[in-house]
Amino acid sequence: MTRLGGTGGGRREGTGNGAEAVAWAVAEAVDGLADLWSLAAQAAVLRLSPHQLRALRVLQAAPGLNLTGLAEQLEIGLPTASRLCDRLEAAGLLERALHPHRRREVRLGLTVRGRRVLDDVAARRAQALADVLAAMEPDDREALRRGLRAFAAARAASASASPPSGES
C-alpha cells in the first residue's frame, strides 16, 4: 500500500498540533489500519476480494436488495455487479430468490455460509485491532478513544452544517 506521506525526507507531515500536521499523522494511522484490516480479512478461512467482502457487508445490512440496488450501493455497473454475484453464489455465500410480489425481480441474500464468513472476518479484524491496542499504554488507549469520539462528533456537526452536494 502506498504511504500517503511518501518515503524518506519527502514527507509533508510537519510538527505540532496544527490541523494539517495532525491530518498527516491520522492519514498515516489510517493507512496502517487499512493494512491491518486487509491482512486480517485475508487470514479468514475463505479469502475474498475487497469488492466481494464489501458486497457481502452491503447485503448483510440490506437483505433482499436487488441487483440494481447492490450495484448502486457499490457504485459499480450492473454487468459488474451481476458477475460479482455469480462468483459469490458459486462460492455458496449468496442466494438469489424471486421477489414474492414482483416476479421479474430477484432478491439477493446471504447464505448461512456467507454470514459465517462475515462473522469470521469481523472476529479476525477485531482481534488484530485488539492485539495492537493491547500493546498501547492504557492512558494512550483512553486518549485514542476520546480523540475518536471528538472526531466523530466534529464530523457529524460538519456534515449537518453543510448543505448536500449540488445545493448552495
Side-chain angles (χ1 to χ4, degrees):
M1 182 171 278
T2 302
R3 298 285 171 210
L4 296 175
T7 58
R11 294 182 65 173
R12 296 174 34 199
E13 188 173 305
T15 59
N17 291 329
E20 186 172 335
V22 173
W24 280 102
V26 168
E28 188 70 21
V30 167
D31 201 33
L33 180 59
D35 287 344
L36 178 79
W37 223 235
S38 178
L39 290 172
Q42 291 305 308
V45 174
L46 181 63
R47 296 181 78 175
L48 299 171
S49 74
H51 290 292
Q52 291 171 325
L53 192 55
R54 188 165 170 238
L56 292 178
R57 286 196 323 263
V58 166
L59 291 173
Q60 182 181 41
L65 201 62
N66 64 20
L67 188 63
T68 301
L70 179 64
E72 289 171 357
Q73 289 286 319
L74 297 176
E75 297 178 345
I76 59 176
L78 280 172
T80 303
S82 182
R83 287 189 303 273
L84 178 62
C85 288
D86 289 344
R87 287 189 292 276
L88 292 171
E89 186 176 32
L93 305 174
L94 173 141
E95 58 191 359
R96 300 175 201 219
L98 291 177
H99 190 284
H101 305 295
R102 293 187 293 263
R103 300 178 83 146
R104 293 179 56 181
E105 185 175 324
V106 175
R107 301 171 86 183
L108 306 170
L110 298 180
T111 62
V112 170
R113 183 170 188 230
R115 286 189 291 280
R116 282 191 195 131
V117 166
L118 282 181
D119 290 346
D120 180 43
V121 168
R124 288 175 186 277
R125 285 177 165 174
Q127 186 58 55
L129 189 54
D131 291 345
V132 171
L133 293 170
M136 294 172 65
E137 293 294 325
D139 289 346
D140 291 337
R141 280 194 303 269
E142 185 53 35
L144 178 61
R145 181 195 318 258
R146 284 192 316 273
L148 290 172
R149 284 182 180 156
F151 176 84
R155 183 174 181 267
S158 175
S160 65
S162 300
S165 61
E167 294 181 19
S168 297

